[in-house]
Amino acid sequence: MSVATACANIALVKYWGKRDAGLNTPAAGSLSLTLDSLRTFTQVELTDAEEDTLSLGGKPVTGRPVARITAFADLVRAMAGRKERVAVRSQNSFPTAAGLASSASAFAALAVATADAFGVALSPKELSILARRGSGSAARSIFGGFVLMHGGSASDGQDAFAEPLEGIPLTFSAAVAAARAEEKKIGSTDGMDLTRDTSPYYAAWIDCVNRDLGTAQAALREGDISRLAEIVEGNCLAMHANAMAARPGIIYFGPSTLWAIQEVRAMRAEGTPVFFTIDAGPHVVAFTPPEHLEQVAARLEGHPEVAEVITSPVGDGAHLVERMP
Ligand code: DP6
C-alpha cells in the first residue's frame, strides 16, 4: 500500500487548450505556484478485485471519475507489466463543498502513489509526464514553488513536462475567495475543447500565452511585482475573454467574482502589492507577499457570496507519506 500527498497549484500563466487529446498535451506552456493549503492525500492499494475502485473523502464513487482512474492506472500497469487492480482512497485537506477540488493535486498524488504501489521507479520529470496524462495541471503539482510547464512539440508527449523555477527572489502567499458556488458547470477539459473549436480568439490566446510566459519569467527573476501583476491579471482575463467568446459562451464568473477583482485592484491602488487570477470557476485567488496576507484575506471576506477565504503559503512537491492523515 502506498500513500502520497500533493498540493494544488494556481497558474499565473494559464493552460487553456490541448495539442493532443489522447496524450493530453497542452497547446502551450504554463507557469504556476504550488499552494500548501489545498492538499490531497491519496492511498493506492493493489487488489485482486475485478475493477478499480475509488473513494473520495470516505465516500465510494462510481462512473466517470473511476473510468479516469482506470485509464490512468492502465498506464502504470503497462509500465510495470502487471495486472492488479487498484483501490484508491483520496481525501482533500480543504472543503470540497466550495468547489475547489483540484484535478492537479489529485492526479499528482495519484501518480506518485500508483507508481510506488506497482514498484515503478520514475524520475520527477517522468512523474510529471505521467501526472499530465491524468490532468494537464497535475504535471505542475509534482513540484513545489514556482513551476514552469513546457508545452512541448514531440508527437509522443515526452517534452510536455513541468520543472521547478529556481532562484526567484519573490515569495507570495495566496488568499482564495471561495465563492458559494455549485459544482462548476463546464469542466476545464470540455471548456478548453469548446473554446478551441468555436472561439474566434483562440489563436490570439495561444500567442498571448507564449509572450506572457517569457515576460512573466523575466518579471519573476527581476522581482518586479508591478510588472508581474499586469501580466498575470492580463493573462487570466485573456483566458476568460477567450472562453466567453466560445459558442455558447463559457462564463465562469459568479456574483462575487467581479467584486473581488475590484477589491484587489483597489488594494493595489492603495499601495498593497497584490494581484488576482481566476481558474475555471468563480473563485478569485489573490497573490501577495506573506506580510500582506492577513489584510488581503480580511478584505476579501466582505461579500455575501464569498463562503470563506482560504489562505495558503507556498506548497512543496508531491511525495510519499507514511499513512493517510
Ligand atoms: C483554468 O488541468 O483541469 O485551471 O488537462 O483537461 O484535466 P485537463 O485540464 P486541467 O485544466 C486547468 C485549467 C485552468 C488553468 C491552469 O491551471 O493552467
Side-chain angles (χ1 to χ4, degrees), residues 11 15-16 18 24 68 103 135-137 140 188-189 192 279-280:
Y15 152 49
W16 195 255
K18 292 176 199 283
N24 204 33
R68 271 180 97 174
S103 59
S135 183
S137 52
R140 301 186 307 239
S188 25
T189 309
M192 280 181 206
D279 281 344

Side-chain angles (χ1 to χ4, degrees), residues 5 47 62 72 86 99 109 116 118 121 205 222 229 236 287 291 307 316 320:
T5 185
T47 75
T62 54
F72 188 83
V86 290
D116 186 70
F118 280 104
W205 156 250
E222 286 157 19
C236 159
F287 289 107
E291 62 270 27
D316 59 1
L320 291 167

Side-chain angles (χ1 to χ4, degrees), residues 302-316:
H303 190 284
E305 287 295 320
V306 172
E308 67 175 315
V309 177
I310 299 169
T311 56
S312 181
V314 174
D316 59 1

Side-chain angles (χ1 to χ4, degrees), residues 44 47 49-55 61-79 82-88 107 110 114 118 130 133-134:
V44 174
T47 75
E50 296 274 293
E51 304 288 342
D52 299 316
T53 58
L54 170 65
S55 85
V61 176
T62 54
R64 188 166 142 76
V66 183
R68 271 180 97 174
I69 296 281
T70 292
F72 188 83
D74 282 345
L75 300 171
V76 186
R77 283 189 276 258
M79 288 176 187
R82 292 172 64 165
K83 293 203 174 343
E84 294 100 316
R85 295 281 129 188
V86 290
V88 178
F107 280 100
L110 187 67
T114 311
F118 280 104
L130 173 63
R133 299 290 296 271

Side-chain angles (χ1 to χ4, degrees), residues 22 40 79 90 95 123 143 159 173 176 189 203 205 213 216 260 265 275 289 313:
T40 299
M79 288 176 187
S90 194
S123 67
F143 303 101
D159 58 356
S173 291
V176 184
T189 309
W205 156 250
L213 280 172
R265 288 193 161 173
F275 54 91

